[in-house]
Amino acid sequence: MNTSSLALATAAAGSSSSRRSNCWKYEVFLSFRGEDTRTGFTDHLSIALRSAGITTVIDYKLKKGENIQREIDRQIEGSRIAVVVFSKSYAESRWCLRELSMIMRCREDQEGKVVYPIFYDVDPSKVRKQSGSIGEAFQKHERDEDPNEVEQWRKDLKASADLVGRNLETTADRREGEFIQKVVGDINGLRKTSDLKEAKHSVGIAFRVEEFSTKYLDVGGSHDVQIIGIWGMGGIGKTTLARTIYSTYHHSFHGQCYLEEVRSKKKNMVSLQEQLLRDILKWPDIKISSVAEGTKEIEKRLGSMKVLIVVDDINDADQLDELAIEHDSFGPGSRIILIARDEQVLNIQKVEKKYKAQTMTDEEALELLSWHAFGNHCPDKEYIELARGVVDYCGGLPLALKVVGRLLATKKSKSIWKSTLDKLRIIPHGKIHETLRLSYDGLSDDHVKGVFLDISHFFINWHGTHVMAILDSCSGFCVESEIKTIQDRCLLDFDSPKFRMHDLIRDMGREIVRAECAMEPGKRSRLWHHVDVTSMLRDESGTEAIRGLTLVLPEKSDEHPFRTKAFKKMRHLKFLQLNYVKLTGRYRHLSKELRVLLWQGFPLEVIPKDFDLRNLLLIDLSNSKLVRVWVDSDQLPKKLKFLYLDHSRNLTQLPDFSKLPHLESLGLNSCKSVSEGYHLLAQLKMLEYLDLRDCNITDDAIVASLRSLSSLCSLLLDGNGFHRLPILSGLSQLTSLYLNHCTSLEAIPDLPTSMHTLEANYCTELEIMPKLPEMSQMMDLRMKDCRKLKDIPNLDNFLCNMRTLHMEGCTSLTATFKENILLKWKGDVIGGLSLSVNDIPRRLPYVARADETVEIEVPTNFDYKGGLAVCIIYSSHNSDCTGSLCLHVVNRTQRTCFHIWPMVTTVTASHECYLWLGNLTNKKLNLKGGDRVRVLADFIETEDDHQIKVKKTGVRIVELEFVASDLIDVDYKLVPYESDEDTDEVQPCKRFKVI
């Protein structure tokens, strides 16, 4: 089936008991507009279907009338498949629309009913959106017909156009004979469809099927045997996707088999082997005596057959060996799809491609929820905000949206909706919990499970280096392997520097701990819920079982202080968070095993001397009342690696850092009152991160002492009052330096060659930059609105490796400097350049003005690896507005559409023109010779009266591969393709053909 015409996959039978099972009298019912296709296309299709032995019903000789209508209704009800031929004037006919409504009602009521749309000389998006001639027809109906009936016609037309079918425009080069043969092949496949039951409301599935089919499945393409993996967290829709792919493509293979729930059948491998052979060979009496015999039979019997096999929910690579899942076991052109929660199962040589299942978008999630909660594609008006809250809770997980939607469908008031959702946030729904828990139960041992539970309770959105150090200390050995195992099972996302976890996975972990002792919180291993923690501390019922505890109160809480004796029995407590909590009593009662202490708003002027800090690795006392940190004692945190005292505005004295030999990270942001101890910073030979933002630092020895920090990697000095920086070239490890809003800074004398990032935005007095040495590692330089800066000597010599250069608002830059930058900012470098310039560089030949779209046609003999260089000129009537640039790249040939967000910018001067020049990699766009491509740029998420406007857009094709392989900071979002009229109907186009 041609997936370029897909919208939403055909939803076959649901599992509801209210749907009727049927013994079909006919195989196909043909619905069409007689004036358009009766004597042509539909006649030829009818003959072809019958020639293929498919029992087909068509109303050639019927006349309109009440009895005829009843007869047609009976034929629709008695047909397994309804083929709807959409043509240009289909919607003009009340008869056709009523017939379509009957078909869609039967689809909802009858188990196994399939609706197959054909788009004959009509764009699917016009049918779906009811635009063009179809929209005009509905305007007439709204004047002449019952408005309720017309509204139902609209819903049915959209729903039917969202199903899997074929589009003549994009199939067989519009050759009707070949097109009809493909349709007959599809219908034959639907007749042979096995008992797979697809989701009733398959929201968003067609787009995923199209993406998977195009990039991974390659049916009809390569003759190689291909083994493809689909992986992702439980409940994300892996099985729904695989079932739809199987139902769509299985007729293109000589043999087919879908093996379900392989995890649960692990001990009965022989039965799986028998099913595989029976389904493909169509031999019902196959018997196998052992696993070894079954493996040999599969290799022997299927080696020459082109097969489609889906192995769903595997959790052990040995299962693949026993099912003979090898390239040599199957015939040319075979496709084997493996579905797993654990990516590690798929990290074997035989799997060529892996597809990670994605959560639903907010729009898709809201629609799916609405179908299950309201029986409609959108929520009832009074429930919209509540419905959005449910969508946020479910986090794009289809299983959760279905379960919660069905649960809430029975709740008839908004207050019950709200209370139900509040309860779910504390105690997850059993079906969701059990589905997600399968991944947890599959973890190899209690230690790995304990690491997962620690992260789910305390470390979400924490920096990975912090978490690893803490967990290593708690375990006594490196936990990197455990983290990787948890990540492979889709229980943790660690692609970014921070640990991230789906909210429902987090809730699953917390429910596991809650169930340890539901009625007595003090006997659980971890506590996070406000009510449980306050109750336990008031009752002083904590036990040695508790490993971690978090209590976050508002800054001006009226909660009465707790007694420190409440912690006396928590001898194994390692993680403690007490934001804005007050304690009374002796601090010696707190655990000596603490590794983490988070206490924002710490209420004392100094940490008590009897508080044993010796095993702490991380202390965060931001927003504290501290005047000094601690007094000398033998219980100081000599193992400490991370210390954060940010916004402690009363702090006047820093501690003796010689007592903290392992300190790696120090945060003193906005500690404006510190007057003593800065010289002690020089003792921190292991320090890698130092935050001194907004600390009232001026030109004195404080700044000079920074030169001694030989291990320093990141230095933050934003918002301070010094005029010059000390010589920093000796800091050979320094990679990031931040000087934003240092409005007195006049000169930067020199910089080390190790620099990756320099930010000095809004340094309005900055005039002198050093002659930069050869900085082969410099990637990001941001110096926005440095309005006195004229030049950066030697900058143009290392532009070739840079990723971003932002100097917009630097209005004193010499013309020669800007010309050199524009000339040497090469098109083969992925990145973004911003300057105060009012025209597109000449090397971008295809330029469109405001409200125009650039269209280019790539030469057919053009084979390149680079991508597109895109440049815009933008400005605003307002002097203070922020916008996010969105580039729309529409490939009209491949029918793909990307939304790309390369930057966020703030305009500080009205009517000033700025240039942005960046590159879009073809590793994402996948442009080919002959493609017709449109590029449109605009800014989003700005207030209407402050909007940033694009004045010009320029595009150039870059043939050579970019130096950088990917733009890691840029989001390339592939969105459903819509026809040109839908995507930019109000935009005039400026078209170019590349010669």
Side-chain angles (χ1 to χ4, degrees):
M1 209 175 282
N2 187 342
T3 58
S4 65
S5 65
L6 299 183
L8 290 177
T10 305
S15 59
S16 171
S17 59
S18 64
R19 306 189 78 196
R20 304 197 304 273
S21 297
N22 296 276
C23 295
W24 307 107
K25 185 176 181 180
Y26 312 104
E27 291 179 294
V28 171
F29 175 88
L30 279 175
S31 173
F32 59 98
R33 180 75 196 276
E35 294 178 11
D36 290 347
T37 65
R38 181 189 299 277
T39 58
F41 175 81
T42 300
D43 184 56
H44 299 154
L45 176 59
S46 173
I47 293 170
L49 289 169
R50 287 172 175 157
S51 297
I54 300 171
T55 307
T56 305
V57 183
I58 190 168
D59 64 341
Y60 274 155
K61 299 179 180 180
L62 298 179
K63 296 181 180 179
K64 297 176 184 177
E66 184 177 351
N67 293 335
I68 298 301
Q69 181 66 62
R70 283 203 299 268
E71 178 60 22
I72 288 179
D73 288 349
R74 282 195 291 270
Q75 291 175 348
I76 292 171
E77 287 183 330
S79 299
R80 163 78 173 87
I81 303 165
V83 176
V84 183
V85 183
F86 289 118
S87 54
K88 288 182 178 178
S89 62
Y90 184 95
E92 295 176 11
S93 169
R94 292 171 296 171
W95 179 272
C96 288
L97 293 173
R98 286 170 179 157
E99 189 172 273
L100 179 63
S101 285
M102 178 62 184
I103 289 170
M104 298 305 287
R105 295 294 77 70
C106 289
R107 176 178 175 269
E108 290 183 2
D109 296 339
Q110 294 178 287
E111 185 174 341
K113 172 78 79 176
V114 175
V115 180
Y116 179 97
I118 293 174
F119 301 96
Y120 183 83
D121 280 343
V122 63
D123 190 329
S125 66
K126 288 183 178 291
V127 179
R128 192 162 53 248
K129 296 196 171 192
Q130 295 148 34
S131 59
S133 61
I134 294 173
E136 294 170 3
F138 270 96
Q139 289 176 6
K140 185 175 184 302
H141 293 321
E142 286 170 345
R143 291 194 302 267
D144 301 336
E145 306 296 336
D146 175 27
N148 292 328
E149 187 174 23
V150 173
E151 180 62 25
Q152 188 60 49
W153 291 347
R154 283 189 179 276
K155 292 179 181 178
D156 291 332
L157 192 66
K158 181 184 184 301
S160 58
D162 277 341
L163 302 174
V164 171
R166 281 198 182 270
N167 180 3
L168 176 63
E169 179 68 29
T170 60
T171 305
D173 295 327
R174 292 185 54 85
R175 296 193 296 273
E176 286 192 14
E178 186 174 345
F179 179 73
I180 286 173
Q181 289 305 310
K182 289 184 178 293
V183 171
V184 172
D186 292 346
I187 301 302
N188 259 323
L190 292 171
R191 292 166 73 207
K192 299 174 185 176
T193 299
S194 62
D195 291 331
L196 294 184
K197 294 182 179 180
E198 300 173 13
K200 181 179 178 182
H201 301 297
S202 302
V203 177
I205 193 67
F207 172 62
R208 290 163 175 80
V209 170
E210 181 171 359
E211 181 183 32
F212 184 87
S213 303
T214 303
K215 295 184 177 180
Y216 298 85
L217 197 61
D218 192 25
V219 172
S222 170
H223 293 293
D224 296 338
V225 176
Q226 294 187 10
I227 302 176
I228 307 153
I230 300 176
W231 67 287
M233 63 186 290
I236 202 170
K238 302 183 297 296
T239 295
T240 300
L241 174 62
R243 285 171 174 269
T244 308
I245 291 166
Y246 182 86
S247 297
T248 303
Y249 291 104
H250 76 279
H251 60 274
S252 299
F253 297 83
H254 301 149
Q256 316 84 15
C257 180
Y258 193 109
L259 297 175
E260 298 183 284
E261 299 177 353
V262 172
R263 174 199 301 264
S264 64
K265 300 172 184 174
K266 183 176 180 181
K267 295 181 180 178
N268 198 4
M269 182 55 65
V270 168
S271 68
L272 288 171
Q273 294 173 327
E274 289 175 343
Q275 180 188 342
L276 180 61
L277 291 166
R278 279 197 303 267
D279 288 357
I280 293 177
L281 299 175
K282 311 302 181 188
W283 296 349
D285 299 326
I286 289 178
K287 295 293 182 183
I288 293 172
S289 59
S290 68
V291 171
E293 179 191 348
T295 303
K296 290 180 180 179
E297 283 295 306
I298 293 168
E299 293 171 340
K300 181 172 72 174
R301 301 286 186 185
L302 307 184
S304 62
M305 293 186 67
K306 178 184 176 181
V307 298
L308 174 64
I309 299 172
V310 178
V311 187
D312 194 352
D313 198 20
I314 58 171
N315 66 337
D316 188 340
D318 291 343
Q319 295 167 328
L320 303 179
D321 295 333
E322 292 165 350
L323 289 169
I325 302 299
E326 299 283 352
H327 294 85
D328 296 339
S329 300
F330 310 103
S334 292
R335 298 292 184 266
I336 317 300
I337 300 175
L338 311 177
I339 304 174
R341 296 180 179 213
D342 187 351
E343 185 187 13
Q344 193 61 39
V345 176
L346 304 176
N347 285 343
I348 50 179
Q349 190 172 5
K350 62 184 72 174
V351 179
E352 292 100 344
K353 304 174 186 175
K354 292 185 294 184
Y355 174 90
K356 185 176 182 181
Q358 302 296 319
T359 54
M360 304 184 90
T361 65
D362 287 348
E363 293 80 5
E364 291 169 339
L366 185 62
E367 182 178 350
L368 183 60
L369 174 73
S370 299
W371 280 118
H372 290 282
F374 302 100
N376 206 340
H377 70 282
C378 62
D380 294 347
K381 285 185 178 179
E382 62 270 28
Y383 284 85
I384 287 178
E385 289 306 313
L386 284 169
R388 292 192 184 281
V390 175
V391 167
D392 181 63
Y393 164 76
C394 293
L397 200 66
L399 169 70
L401 291 158
K402 294 173 188 176
V403 170
V404 177
R406 290 168 185 164
L407 175 67
L408 294 173
T410 62
K411 314 297 183 185
K412 300 302 182 184
S413 77
K414 291 193 288 185
S415 62
I416 296 178
W417 264 57
K418 188 176 185 303
S419 62
T420 301
L421 185 56
D422 289 343
K423 178 182 176 182
L424 288 172
R425 293 186 188 279
I426 301 172
I427 305 175
H429 189 281
K431 185 173 181 179
I432 300 171
H433 176 73
E434 291 305 320
T435 299
L436 298 177
R437 180 166 179 158
L438 284 173
S439 297
Y440 168 82
D441 290 338
L443 294 173
S444 56
D445 57 54
D446 289 342
H447 183 260
V448 182
K449 291 177 179 178
V451 170
F452 166 75
L453 294 176
D454 282 340
I455 295 171
S456 66
H457 279 74
F458 308 122
F459 297 120
I460 296 172
N461 291 323
W462 277 51
H463 199 285
T465 55
H466 291 47
V467 180
M468 299 284 271
I470 293 162
L471 294 177
D472 287 352
S473 175
C474 292
S475 302
F477 56 85
C478 179
V479 297
E480 184 177 0
S481 175
E482 284 79 357
I483 297 293
K484 184 66 168 63
T485 298
I486 295 167
Q487 185 179 7
D488 286 343
R489 289 188 175 270
C490 298
L491 294 171
L492 179 67
D493 183 4
F494 191 26
D495 293 334
S496 66
K498 293 185 177 182
F499 278 13
R500 303 191 188 281
M501 186 178 287
H502 192 284
D503 287 353
L504 295 178
I505 295 288
R506 174 204 64 198
D507 293 349
M508 176 267 290
R510 292 176 175 180
E511 173 60 14
I512 288 171
V513 170
R514 190 192 71 85
E516 292 173 351
C517 193
M519 303 308 295
E520 297 183 68
K523 293 183 178 180
R524 299 177 200 158
S525 59
R526 300 157 182 88
L527 292 173
W528 66 275
H529 193 270
H530 178 275
V531 173
D532 292 337
V533 176
T534 53
S535 172
M536 181 274 297
L537 292 177
R538 286 272 172 251
D539 297 342
E540 299 185 3
S541 56
T543 68
E544 62 182 15
I546 300 175
R547 288 173 47 89
L549 178 155
T550 179
L551 177 59
V552 177
L553 299 179
E555 184 173 356
K556 296 182 179 179
S557 171
D558 57 0
E559 186 79 51
H560 291 293
F562 302 98
R563 297 204 313 165
T564 56
K565 281 189 176 180
F567 294 89
K568 187 173 183 178
K569 295 180 181 178
M570 303 181 205
R571 293 192 298 272
H572 301 302
L573 188 67
K574 290 181 169 60
F575 181 97
L576 179 61
Q577 182 176 18
L578 294 173
N579 289 5
Y580 299 103
V581 172
K582 295 181 178 65
L583 297 182
T584 60
R586 302 293 298 276
Y587 277 66
R588 60 185 174 81
H589 297 306
L590 275 68
S591 171
K592 298 177 177 60
E593 296 298 315
L594 279 178
R595 301 303 196 274
V596 178
L597 176 64
L598 306 180
W599 201 334
Q600 290 194 31
F602 183 73
L604 306 181
E605 293 185 353
V606 64
I607 297 175
K609 191 173 183 179
D610 64 340
F611 191 172
D612 194 331
L613 310 173
R614 283 176 291 183
N615 284 306
L616 278 163
L617 269 74
L618 184 148
I619 296 176
D620 185 344
L621 302 180
S622 301
N623 295 291
S624 72
K625 303 294 185 184
L626 288 171
V627 174
R628 57 175 177 163
V629 183
W630 48 59
V631 294
D632 283 339
S633 75
D634 58 357
Q635 301 190 80
L636 293 182
K638 296 181 180 180
K639 299 178 182 179
L640 196 68
K641 291 188 174 185
F642 314 103
L643 176 61
Y644 302 104
L645 304 171
D646 303 319
H647 303 283
S648 296
R649 301 186 186 279
N650 298 333
L651 188 67
T652 59
Q653 181 180 341
L654 294 180
D656 181 357
F657 289 117
S658 65
K659 303 291 180 65
L660 305 176
H662 302 289
L663 196 67
E664 298 176 7
S665 186
L666 176 61
L668 297 169
N669 183 5
S670 299
C671 293
K672 296 178 181 292
S673 301
V674 173
S675 57
E676 297 180 46
Y678 275 121
H679 64 285
L680 298 173
L681 290 173
Q683 300 171 340
L684 294 172
K685 301 304 181 184
M686 301 290 289
L687 195 68
E688 298 177 4
Y689 173 91
L690 177 59
D691 185 353
L692 294 173
R693 288 175 291 172
D694 296 307
C695 285
N696 288 338
I697 296 175
T698 56
D699 296 315
D700 54 26
I702 297 174
V703 176
S705 66
L706 300 176
R707 292 181 295 181
S708 303
L709 302 177
S710 57
S711 298
L712 198 63
C713 298
S714 295
L715 176 59
L716 290 74
L717 293 170
D718 310 66
N720 284 299
F722 45 78
H723 292 79
R724 296 179 65 89
L725 276 180
I727 295 175
L728 298 177
S729 56
L731 300 183
S732 61
Q733 304 300 312
L734 188 66
T735 59
S736 303
L737 175 61
Y738 299 89
L739 301 165
N740 300 303
H741 296 280
C742 289
T743 54
S744 298
L745 180 63
E746 298 172 356
I748 299 175
D750 75 339
L751 293 169
T753 58
S754 56
M755 291 286 295
H756 290 180
T757 300
L758 171 62
E759 286 194 14
N761 297 307
Y762 310 108
C763 293
T764 52
E765 296 298 316
L766 182 63
E767 293 187 64
I768 300 172
M769 287 288 290
K771 183 176 181 180
L772 298 178
E774 190 62 35
M775 289 189 171
S776 59
Q777 299 183 69
M778 175 67 83
M779 298 177 66
D780 298 288
L781 179 59
R782 301 170 189 265
M783 305 190 71
K784 183 175 181 177
D785 276 14
C786 296
R787 295 188 173 267
K788 290 188 176 182
L789 187 65
K790 296 179 180 180
D791 190 8
I792 303 179
N794 210 37
L795 176 63
D796 52 353
N797 287 344
F798 54 89
L799 284 174
C800 58
N801 295 323
M802 291 187 64
R803 186 173 65 180
T804 55
L805 173 59
H806 282 207
M807 299 187 71
E808 63 269 41
C810 296
T811 52
S812 296
L813 292 176
T814 66
T816 301
F817 176 81
K818 289 192 284 189
E819 286 173 8
N820 284 338
I821 296 298
L822 289 171
L823 181 65
K824 295 189 177 182
W825 187 267
K826 295 183 179 180
D828 62 348
V829 179
I830 288 183
L833 168 67
S834 294
L835 291 171
S836 291
V837 175
N838 59 13
D839 208 354
I840 302 286
R842 273 179 250 166
R843 70 170 183 268
L844 284 87
Y846 313 113
V847 179
R849 297 190 178 277
D851 299 325
E852 291 182 343
T853 302
V854 178
E855 180 172 321
I856 60 175
E857 183 175 331
V858 182
T860 55
N861 61 348
F862 202 55
D863 182 19
Y864 67 101
K865 300 178 180 179
L868 297 178
V870 179
C871 182
I872 66 164
I873 303 296
Y874 63 95
S875 68
S876 175
H877 295 303
N878 188 274
S879 60
D880 186 16
C881 57
T882 299
S884 180
L885 175 63
C886 183
L887 300 177
H888 310 260
V889 180
V890 179
N891 189 322
R892 301 169 65 200
T893 304
Q894 297 188 34
R895 299 175 67 82
T896 61
C897 181
F898 282 92
H899 289 175
I900 304 162
W901 287 270
M903 72 147 182
V904 176
T905 188
T906 299
V907 172
T908 56
S910 62
H911 303 288
E912 185 173 305
C913 288
Y914 303 99
L915 170 146
W916 176 84
L917 172 62
N919 300 289
L920 308 180
T921 174
N922 204 40
K923 292 184 177 181
K924 296 284 189 179
L925 300 178
N926 194 33
L927 304 181
K928 298 176 181 177
D931 284 355
R932 293 176 299 157
V933 181
R934 285 185 170 184
V935 179
L936 173 69
D938 59 13
F939 282 89
I940 59 174
E941 299 176 359
T942 56
E943 297 292 336
D944 291 340
D945 57 343
H946 295 168
Q947 194 169 18
I948 303 173
K949 296 289 188 181
V950 175
K951 303 184 73 172
K952 293 182 183 179
T953 304
V955 177
R956 179 171 74 95
I957 293 175
V958 181
E959 183 173 358
L960 299 176
E961 186 171 7
F962 293 137
V963 171
S965 60
D966 276 310
L967 245 180
I968 58 173
D969 296 330
V970 174
D971 179 16
Y972 286 73
K973 184 177 182 181
L974 184 63
V975 300
Y977 174 85
E978 296 178 343
S979 68
D980 300 324
E981 289 81 0
D982 290 329
T983 55
D984 52 11
E985 58 189 64
V986 299
Q987 300 289 346
C989 297
K990 189 154 187 177
R991 296 178 172 85
F992 303 96
K993 185 172 182 178
V994 182
I995 305 300

